């Protein structure tokens, strides 16, 4: 499954056109991943009695494995490019380098440290699925992981729809070249579907008001 290490049927074609059409389903993949990571965290915390910080560290490690460090690799490339490049051309050239530099290592270290501290500070998971109907909302690290994994992937279809794709150079250029031509496949209806899915799932955990704030924040930061 794209953006994960989860297996998919052999008959599935990874053509860029299908990837573009599937952008609207990225939040669904995020909620599946978030649910899996939350299960690991809660299992370590409740079943084995580990401190929340330790359970969070194991859950983060599981998340890194199941996603193949796909997003962390992008963070490191971006940090290296923005930190080491003096011009747009240099930034893009550095980003295509598969090696991780000082800025990338520093960004990854800070990212993982802050993520661990935030999850540890949220405490034990408390799940409430009636956010639409009552004032009892979810709290703790587990629900936060699920919603964060889901909402973070909402930015992908929005950015593809509203921004121009940068021409890729290097060995992957034939694959990414089609994405430039197939941008129109990420329609506003697909972006709306992704947004509606995020709103429904997150509202069940945190209520519609806070969910609306989260979605607006994600799209504003992406924009």
């Amino acid at each position: 499954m794209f953006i994960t290490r989860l297996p998919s049927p052999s008959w599935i074609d990874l053509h860029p056109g299908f990837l573009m059409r599937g952008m609207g389903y990225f939040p669904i993949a995020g909620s599946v991943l978030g649910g899996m990571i939350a299960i690991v965290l809660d299992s370590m915390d409740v079943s084995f009695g580990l401190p929340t910080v330790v359970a969070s560290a194991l859950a983060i490690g599981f998340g890194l494995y199941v996603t193949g460090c796909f997003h962390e690799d992008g963070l490191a490339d971006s940090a290296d490019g923005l930190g080491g490049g003096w011009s747009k051309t240099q930034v893009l050239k550095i980003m295509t380098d598969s090696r991780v530099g000082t800025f990338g290592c520093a960004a990854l270290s800070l990212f993982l440290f802050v993520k661990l501290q935030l999850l540890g500070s949220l405490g034990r998971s408390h799940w409430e699925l009636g956010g639409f109907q009552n004032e009892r909302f979810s709290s703790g690290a587990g629900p936060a992981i699920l919603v964060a994994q889901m909402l973070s992937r909402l930015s992908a279809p929005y950015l593809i729809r509203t921004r121009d794709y940068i021409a890729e150079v290097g060995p992957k250029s034939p694959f990414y070249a089609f994405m430039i031509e197939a941008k129109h496949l990420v329609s506003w209806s697909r972006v709306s579907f992704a947004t509606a899915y995020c709103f429904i799932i997150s509202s069940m955990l945190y209520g519609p008001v806070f969910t609306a704030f989260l979605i607006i924040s994600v799209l504003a930061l992406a924009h």
Side-chain angles (χ1 to χ4, degrees), residues 5 17 20 27 42 45 47 50 64 75 84 144 157 180 182 189 192 196 200 208:
R5 295 171 61 111
M20 286 297 187
D42 289 346
D45 186 14
S47 300
L50 296 177
L64 294 176
L75 172 63
I180 302 175
S189 61
S192 299
I200 292 172

Side-chain angles (χ1 to χ4, degrees), residues 30-40 127 142 145-146 149:
S31 62
V32 172
L33 289 171
M36 294 171 61
I37 297 171
I39 289 174
V40 171
W127 298 86
I145 289 176
L146 191 153
Q149 291 286 330

Side-chain angles (χ1 to χ4, degrees), residues 132-148:
F132 273 122
Q133 302 174 346
N134 54 54
E135 296 299 323
R136 295 183 301 175
F137 304 130
S138 299
S139 62
I145 289 176
L146 191 153
V147 172

Side-chain angles (χ1 to χ4, degrees), residues 6-192:
L6 300 177
S8 59
S10 59
W11 51 265
I12 291 181
D13 192 349
L14 297 180
H15 190 278
F18 294 146
L19 172 60
M20 286 297 187
R21 292 188 180 96
M23 284 282 179
Y25 303 106
F26 272 25
I28 298 179
S31 62
V32 172
L33 289 171
M36 294 171 61
I37 297 171
I39 289 174
V40 171
L41 186 147
D42 289 346
S43 298
M44 297 295 104
D45 186 14
V46 178
S47 300
F48 294 93
L50 296 177
T52 304
V53 173
V54 178
S56 299
L58 294 175
I60 291 173
F62 174 77
L64 294 176
Y65 173 78
V66 79
T67 60
C69 291
F70 182 84
H71 308 88
E72 288 72 20
D73 180 63
L75 172 63
D77 288 340
S78 299
D80 282 333
L82 296 174
W86 291 93
S87 65
K88 180 179 179 180
T89 302
Q90 286 182 325
V91 169
L92 295 178
K93 183 178 180 180
I94 293 173
M95 285 184 177
T96 60
D97 193 334
S98 60
R99 294 169 295 183
V100 179
T102 304
F103 284 101
C105 291
L108 285 175
S109 299
L110 289 173
F111 166 74
L112 293 174
F113 176 77
V114 171
K115 186 175 183 178
L116 177 60
Q117 291 298 314
L118 288 175
L119 290 178
S121 66
L122 288 173
R124 177 168 291 184
S125 302
H126 177 70
W127 298 86
E128 288 283 352
L129 300 180
F132 273 122
Q133 302 174 346
N134 54 54
E135 296 299 323
R136 295 183 301 175
F137 304 130
S138 299
S139 62
I145 289 176
L146 191 153
V147 172
Q149 291 286 330
M150 177 179 63
L151 288 180
S152 62
R153 287 162 177 80
L154 175 60
S155 61
Y158 177 76
L159 286 173
I160 292 293
R161 179 63 190 176
T162 59
R163 295 290 183 266
D164 293 327
Y165 209 96
I166 298 176
E168 178 81 13
V169 294
K172 298 180 181 179
S173 57
F175 180 84
Y176 288 105
F178 185 85
M179 289 188 174
I180 302 175
E181 303 298 328
K183 173 184 173 180
H184 66 279
L185 295 176
V186 186
S187 62
W188 278 115
S189 61
R190 299 182 190 278
V191 178
S192 299

